[in-house]
Amino acid sequence: MRSTLEKGVAFIEAAMWLLIALPLMLGIVSVLGEIYDQSVVSKIPANLLRESYVEGMRFDVESGDGLVAQYEELGRVVAALTAKGVADGEGAVFHATKISAKACYVVYRVDPSSGHLGGTIQDGCDLRGPLAGRLTLNIHHISETSGKLGIPLLRNGATSGYFDRMVMVGVVIGGEVPDLLAPSKPRLLEFSALSVPRQEITL
């Protein structure tokens, strides 16, 4: 009888420890999963921009307009960035869900003398995924905080002034991860990168 009682007590103790340990183990797995997701997602935007060829501007000698932006090409580029961003994210994350992407281009005016950015000439974005509208990409506010970003004109081997416009491309990738403190309200995980293509002017 005593042996049966001891076994019953041991079973209850084991069950109590399991009730304590199981949430702790699930919490550890969730935290490790989020750390992993942050690591892989954070690298995607910069990798996408590094691997993308952007023919942003060209010289239009025939029309006499000089340097013009390749808007059709830029639209194709941002669409390709969001498609590949979502695919790469979905294939890499551990437990993040609703992987989404937003990519934009902005053609800025540039002060030919100082190289500082001015206003926006034209822009365009591509959004993909259920969270794309919530993702933050500060590409439209660069001119307010940036310094000299213009592309130098090279004349006789020396820098003399800047092109009067410049293209910038950016992409942000995000998804939802569980919040241990508020399971019903998942948190938004997002990472972005911006690029000024240096080899963007073609004849």
Side-chain angles (χ1 to χ4, degrees):
M1 179 72 178
R2 183 171 180 175
S3 176
T4 303
L5 181 61
E6 289 176 348
K7 288 181 180 178
V9 171
F11 177 79
I12 293 173
E13 289 179 347
M16 290 178 62
W17 278 111
L18 183 61
L19 288 174
I20 296 172
L22 186 59
L24 181 61
M25 292 173 60
L26 291 175
I28 292 173
V29 170
S30 180
V31 169
L32 292 176
E34 182 174 340
I35 291 173
Y36 175 80
D37 287 349
Q38 287 181 347
S39 176
V40 296
V41 175
S42 66
K43 298 173 184 176
I44 293 175
N47 289 341
L48 288 173
L49 292 175
R50 185 167 51 250
E51 295 167 2
S52 299
Y53 171 72
V54 182
E55 186 181 343
M57 295 189 294
R58 65 180 174 84
F59 286 106
D60 190 352
V61 180
E62 293 182 0
S63 68
D65 291 335
L67 196 62
V68 296
Q70 297 275 67
Y71 295 118
E72 185 175 339
E73 171 67 10
L74 289 168
R76 183 196 65 78
V77 167
V78 294
L81 287 172
T82 56
K84 192 168 191 312
V86 169
D88 288 356
E90 289 178 339
V93 296
F94 177 67
H95 67 176
T97 59
K98 299 182 180 179
I99 300 300
S100 306
K102 177 181 179 180
C104 300
Y105 72 85
V106 178
V107 181
Y108 280 108
R109 290 187 179 87
V110 177
D111 185 320
S113 300
S114 68
H116 288 81
L117 302 188
T120 300
I121 298 175
Q122 185 165 327
D123 57 17
C125 294
D126 187 76
L127 286 74
R128 192 176 300 257
L131 303 177
R134 292 172 54 193
L135 299 178
T136 302
L137 187 62
N138 291 323
I139 190 169
H140 293 88
H141 305 292
I142 291 298
S143 61
E144 301 172 5
T145 58
S146 62
K148 187 183 297 184
L149 287 177
I151 302 171
L153 281 166
L154 297 179
R155 295 173 181 168
N156 300 324
T159 302
S160 178
Y162 297 83
F163 287 106
D164 65 356
R165 61 197 64 192
M166 184 197 76
V167 172
M168 182 172 287
V169 178
V171 60
V172 54
I173 310 295
E176 284 186 344
V177 292
D179 190 333
L180 294 178
L181 300 178
S184 62
K185 296 181 180 179
R187 293 187 296 108
L188 181 63
L189 176 76
E190 60 179 331
F191 294 92
S192 62
L194 302 176
S195 175
V196 179
R198 291 300 175 183
Q199 302 298 322
E200 62 183 357
I201 301 172
T202 59
L203 294 174

